[in-house]
């Protein structure tokens, strides 16, 4: 079905980077996501929060066009995901990558240029320069020739982000890009995320650290199979919402709150 | 059995085994990173059953229309049978993978066992029925030296060369598809096209490897070169070229050894040569060798 928009609608659509419309994704008859509706504006840093098995990865993969929704649609800049070539770069979860694969770090990062190449074309000098710049941006240029199996956890995260940077997309979807990473890597990744926002790119990240959310992200989406809330970070990160999403005891939420207050004070 | 002095047949088989080794060694690297090495066993078993079923059909055809069926060479039936059998098996395996009930390696082993059971039953039946039908059927068990006709050799040479060219041309794309399917999909690669391409190449090579190596040892010419080459390098392209060379050299040496000894089949001699190269590599290779690591790091 071809959708047409009035001029006012069209202007609104241009400001929406990702639109998720009544999306349900089932796996073995059970819903991983149920009737999710969300609109991600252009140029924001959005954190997707939720407990384990809440459907965060499924949501990100559906946005990236990797998973096909059982029902509903996803639009990238008003186009269906399969038509949004080069608009979106995906950073998979570190554990979902075969790190024993025999390639160098530079080869991995260079993979980001393949969307610009024709079927039997190999990367050119220009692509290699872009890959080198991405490596420099994440501070891994000295390890370029190293095998990917020899990288530390934080370096692996940075390597995957560098590959996505080479794609030069308008939307970046990242699955847990900071989990179990060292402090240096987290700082570099956060800098990269903020640079992307400054360039008006849209970044959607699944994240686990509540403490750092107010510092890093403009918007938060709370997910537990259903979308329980989405909006500005300060509006969404409330005790009530946490309890609704995580089903935790009040004591646990208090501790989290304490953490959040401390981090807020530190920021002041 | 042929004598090594029978130069024409020996040369044909030596080249056939080398071409098979080169292409299957290179393709084996892709399969090993797709975690599909064991699948070769199931495909060879499916191919084996396909050949036997086509033998039986050809036997029935000779009764119905002797003139037509006696004009057709036996190798045409065996080749069509092996392609159909391998194709059937690959479709069946992928249907079973999609059900997500069992791990893919369990499915592969299960289907290998079932197909070998069916194959052995069919071969026993064909032997009992006797006649001209059962002649030459044993070569599919362990391979044979004189098993390829000159037409088959030309066909193998064309297919093996095409596979090497395709692997080199599509190397960059196959690398991403094999490395991470999600990254390949979001780079907007048609991953199903590349899976289809790999499957077609595998089916064609299995049809030849079952004749040269036999149903039980077909997997060795795909798997061992890939594993051995991994011991020598950390770069996919070099691994692929090394695996191709190991396969080609093993094919040539295996044919020579089989010709010299006279009483072992090609499948067995090639597998033994591959095993020797693997063991030597396991000891002396610089990256993962037992002694090699110490030698290259100065004993530290």
């Amino acid at each position: 079905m071809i959708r047409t928009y009035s001029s006012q609608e069209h202007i609104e659509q241009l400001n929406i980077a990702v639109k998720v419309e009544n999306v349900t994704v089932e796996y073995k008859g059970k819903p991983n996501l149920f009737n999710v509706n969300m609109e991600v504006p252009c140029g924001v840093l959005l954190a997707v929060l939720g407990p384990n098995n809440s459907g965060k990865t499924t949501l990100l993969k559906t946005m990236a066009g990797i998973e096909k929704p059982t029902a509903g649609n996803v639009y990238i800049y008003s186009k269906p995901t399969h038509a949004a070539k080069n608009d979106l770069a995906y950073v998979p979860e570190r554990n979902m990558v075969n790190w024993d694969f025999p390639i160098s770090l530079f080869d991995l990062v260079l993979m980001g240029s393949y969307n610009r190449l024709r079927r039997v074309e190999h990367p050119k000098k220009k692509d290699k320069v872009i890959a080198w710049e991405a490596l420099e941006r994440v501070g891994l240029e000295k390890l370029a020739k190293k095998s990917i199996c020899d990288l530390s956890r934080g370096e692996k995260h940075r390597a995957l982000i560098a590959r996505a940077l080479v794609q030069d997309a308008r939307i970046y979807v990242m699955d847990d890009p900071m989990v179990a990473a060292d402090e240096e890597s987290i700082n570099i990744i956060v800098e990269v995320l903020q640079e992307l926002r400054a360039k008006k790119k849209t970044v959607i990240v699944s994240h686990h650290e509540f403490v750092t959310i107010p510092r890093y992200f403009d918007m938060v989406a709370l997910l537990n199979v259903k979308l329980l809330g989405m909006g500005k970070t300060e509006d969404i990160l409330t005790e009530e919402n946490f309890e609704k999403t995580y089903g935790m005891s009040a004591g646990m939420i208090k501790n989290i709150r304490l953490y959040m207050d401390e981090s807020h004070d530190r920021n002041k | 059995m042929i004598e090594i002095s029978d130069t024409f047949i020996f040369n044909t088989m030596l080249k056939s085994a080398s071409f098979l080794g080169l292409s299957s060694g290179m393709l084996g690297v892709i399969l090993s990173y797709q975690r599909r090495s064991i699948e070769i066993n199931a495909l060879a078993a499916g191919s084996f059953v396909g050949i036997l079923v086509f033998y039986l059909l050809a036997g029935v055809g000779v009764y119905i229309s002797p003139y037509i069926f006696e004009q057709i060479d036996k190798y045409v039936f065996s080749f069509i049978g092996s392609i159909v059998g391998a194709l059937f098996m690959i479709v069946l395996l992928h249907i079973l993978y999609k059900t997500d009930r069992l791990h893919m390696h369990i499915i592969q082993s299960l289907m290998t066992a079932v197909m070998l059971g069916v194959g052995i039953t069919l071969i026993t039946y064909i032997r009992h029925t006797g006649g001209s039908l059962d002649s030459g059927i044993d070569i599919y068990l362990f391979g044979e030296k004189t098993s390829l006709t000159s037409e088959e050799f030309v066909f193998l040479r064309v297919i093996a060369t095409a596979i090497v060219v395709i692997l080199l041309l599509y190397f960059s794309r196959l690398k991403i598809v094999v490395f991470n399917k999600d990254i390949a999909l979001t780079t907007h690669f048609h991953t199903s096209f590349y899976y289809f391409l790999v499957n077609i190449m595998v089916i064609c090579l299995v049809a030849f490897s079952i004749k040269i190596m036999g149903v039980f040892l077909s997997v060795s010419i795909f798997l061992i070169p890939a594993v051995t080459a991994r011991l020598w390098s950390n770069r996919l392209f070099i691994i692929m070229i090394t695996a191709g060379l190991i396969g080609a050299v093993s094919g040539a040496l295996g044919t020579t050894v089989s010709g010299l000894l006279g009483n072992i089949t090609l499948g067995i001699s090639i597998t033994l040569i591959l095993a020797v190269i693997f063991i030597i590599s396991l000891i002396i290779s610089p990256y993962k060798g037992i002694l090699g690591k110490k030698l290259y790091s100065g004993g530290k």
Side-chain angles (χ1 to χ4, degrees):
Chain A
M1 191 176 74
I2 299 165
R3 289 185 58 153
T4 51
Y5 299 102
S6 67
S7 56
Q8 183 55 38
E9 266 183 323
H10 188 68
I11 291 162
E12 282 168 17
Q13 291 297 327
L14 285 177
N15 293 326
I16 301 299
V18 182
K19 185 175 183 180
V20 178
E21 203 176 66
N22 304 322
V23 164
T24 297
V25 182
E26 282 184 4
Y27 182 68
K28 287 186 180 175
K30 286 181 187 169
N32 274 10
L33 282 181
F34 184 72
N35 201 28
V36 173
N37 283 289
M38 63 195 286
E39 289 185 348
V40 185
C42 297
V44 296
L45 278 178
L46 169 75
V48 180
L49 270 181
N52 290 338
N53 300 321
S54 60
K56 297 190 293 294
T57 298
T58 308
L59 177 65
L60 298 190
K61 282 190 172 185
T62 312
M63 284 176 176
I66 298 165
E67 293 271 353
K68 286 203 172 76
T70 317
N73 294 300
V74 176
Y75 297 98
I76 306 293
Y77 285 104
S78 314
K79 290 177 282 186
T81 46
H82 62 83
K85 199 180 175 188
N86 300 342
D87 278 335
L88 186 142
Y90 178 71
V91 177
E93 203 180 332
R94 194 193 70 232
N95 291 338
M96 299 309 288
V97 171
N98 175 12
W99 292 103
D100 284 329
F101 199 68
I103 50 170
S104 68
L105 170 61
F106 187 73
D107 284 340
L108 168 63
V109 176
L110 195 59
M111 281 182 184
S113 65
Y114 282 67
N115 61 335
R116 293 189 286 270
L117 303 179
R118 277 174 293 181
R119 194 163 267 182
V120 290
E121 208 178 6
H122 293 274
K124 297 186 182 81
K125 200 178 170 185
K126 188 179 77 182
D127 301 308
K128 289 179 183 173
V129 171
I130 295 170
W132 189 258
E133 283 169 1
L135 266 180
E136 282 179 334
R137 180 61 206 92
V138 296
L140 293 179
E141 69 278 13
K142 285 179 187 159
L143 307 177
K145 285 185 180 172
K146 227 176 174 184
S147 282
I148 56 168
C149 61
D150 295 328
L151 301 175
S152 71
R153 278 185 295 199
E155 287 162 355
K156 285 173 182 172
H157 283 297
R158 285 192 264 163
L160 290 172
I161 289 173
R163 190 210 64 83
L165 291 178
V166 173
Q167 261 184 272
D168 192 27
R170 289 198 280 175
I171 301 165
Y172 290 82
V173 174
M174 305 185 185
D175 198 352
D176 263 340
M178 289 180 249
V179 70
D182 54 289
E183 212 178 316
E184 187 197 355
S185 294
I186 290 177
N187 288 337
I188 291 173
I189 292 167
V190 169
E191 275 174 25
V192 170
L193 296 184
Q194 284 165 353
E195 274 176 23
L196 288 172
R197 180 179 48 189
K199 288 179 186 168
K200 307 280 180 216
K201 311 274 186 182
T202 308
V203 187
I204 303 163
V205 175
S206 71
H207 196 61
H208 278 105
E209 297 283 328
F210 313 119
V211 186
T212 52
I213 283 180
R215 255 192 293 165
Y216 301 157
F217 297 97
D218 312 318
M219 290 182 76
V220 174
L222 292 175
L223 190 74
N224 197 346
V225 182
K226 292 176 183 176
L227 185 70
L228 300 171
M230 182 176 155
K232 285 184 179 171
T233 308
E234 58 270 24
D235 299 337
I236 292 295
L237 285 189
T238 62
E239 248 179 62
E240 191 192 348
N241 280 339
F242 264 119
E243 196 157 8
K244 215 162 57 174
T245 312
Y246 290 88
M248 285 182 196
S249 66
M252 187 75 177
I253 295 163
K254 261 186 189 171
N255 284 336
I256 293 162
R257 194 76 202 167
L258 205 67
Y259 263 124
M260 285 169 60
D261 289 345
E262 279 175 10
S263 77
H264 190 64
D265 291 342
R266 274 201 301 274
N267 281 345
K268 275 184 179 174
Chain B
M1 298 285 166
I2 54 156
E3 296 299 320
I4 198 160
S5 54
D6 194 347
T7 317
F8 178 73
I9 300 176
F10 176 77
N11 278 345
T12 306
M13 289 315 295
L14 188 131
K15 286 178 194 166
S16 303
S18 302
F19 269 104
L20 177 73
L22 175 72
S23 49
S24 54
M26 288 175 77
L27 187 60
V29 174
I30 298 292
L31 293 174
S32 69
Y33 286 105
Q34 283 187 313
R35 296 180 184 159
R36 289 176 61 194
S37 303
I38 307 171
E39 201 176 294
I40 299 297
N41 271 331
L43 294 186
S47 191
F48 177 52
V49 172
I51 291 167
L52 297 175
V53 168
F54 268 70
Y55 259 71
L56 284 171
L57 291 176
V60 174
V62 170
Y63 278 109
I64 297 167
S65 176
Y67 180 74
I68 296 171
F69 277 85
E70 277 167 8
Q71 299 296 311
I72 304 170
D73 275 327
K74 222 179 215 175
Y75 85 86
V76 176
F77 282 109
S78 70
F79 190 74
I80 296 171
S82 91
I83 293 279
V84 171
L87 193 64
F88 167 76
M89 181 50 69
I90 220 161
V91 171
L92 187 62
L93 284 173
H94 283 84
I95 291 171
L96 292 172
Y97 294 157
K98 280 202 170 172
T99 60
D100 231 355
R101 304 277 171 197
L102 293 168
H103 190 273
M104 67 190 288
H105 287 168
I106 294 174
I107 294 171
Q108 289 161 2
S109 306
L110 197 74
M111 292 319 294
T112 308
V114 170
M115 282 295 151
L116 283 178
V118 173
I120 300 295
T121 310
L122 284 176
I123 213 167
T124 313
Y125 173 75
I126 290 169
R127 274 188 188 145
H128 277 286
T129 51
S132 61
L133 203 61
D134 69 335
S135 63
I137 228 160
D138 284 345
I139 60 162
Y140 297 111
L141 291 173
F142 294 106
E144 175 56 287
K145 289 189 287 190
T146 54
S147 57
L148 288 193
T149 62
S150 52
E151 291 92 338
E152 280 178 303
F153 167 60
V154 173
F155 199 24
L156 168 62
R157 200 166 53 176
V158 170
I159 286 182
T161 311
I163 287 172
V164 172
V165 170
I166 289 170
L167 286 174
L168 293 175
L169 273 179
Y170 286 99
F171 173 75
S172 304
R173 299 220 155 199
L174 282 169
K175 185 169 72 176
I176 301 191
V177 172
V178 175
F179 172 61
N180 191 288
K181 196 183 169 188
D182 292 349
I183 288 179
L185 280 169
T186 49
T187 315
H188 291 271
F189 283 6
H190 297 288
T191 49
S192 44
F193 166 76
Y194 294 100
Y195 287 129
F196 174 76
L197 199 65
V198 170
N199 285 339
I200 292 292
M201 292 192 282
V202 172
I203 288 170
C204 290
L205 281 184
V206 164
F208 286 107
S209 74
I210 195 172
K211 276 199 109 179
I212 294 176
M213 302 293 293
V215 61
F216 295 109
L217 299 173
S218 277
V219 69
S220 63
I221 205 157
F222 288 88
L223 180 62
I224 304 177
V227 176
T228 310
R230 181 71 178 95
L231 296 169
W232 288 98
S233 178
N234 273 336
R235 296 290 175 269
L236 189 66
F237 187 73
I238 298 170
I239 290 174
M240 196 187 254
I241 299 296
T242 313
L245 291 176
I246 290 171
V249 169
S250 306
L253 284 178
T255 315
T256 312
V257 169
S258 176
L260 286 171
L261 295 178
N263 57 356
I264 60 167
T265 64
L266 212 50
I268 294 169
S269 61
I270 292 175
T271 305
L272 289 176
I273 297 285
L274 283 167
V276 169
I277 297 175
F278 171 72
I279 291 166
I280 293 170
S281 303
L282 191 64
I283 295 167
I284 64 162
S285 76
Y287 293 107
K288 295 186 176 181
I290 298 163
L291 286 179
K293 254 184 176 177
K294 287 180 185 167
L295 285 173
Y296 287 90
S297 62
K300 283 172 195 171

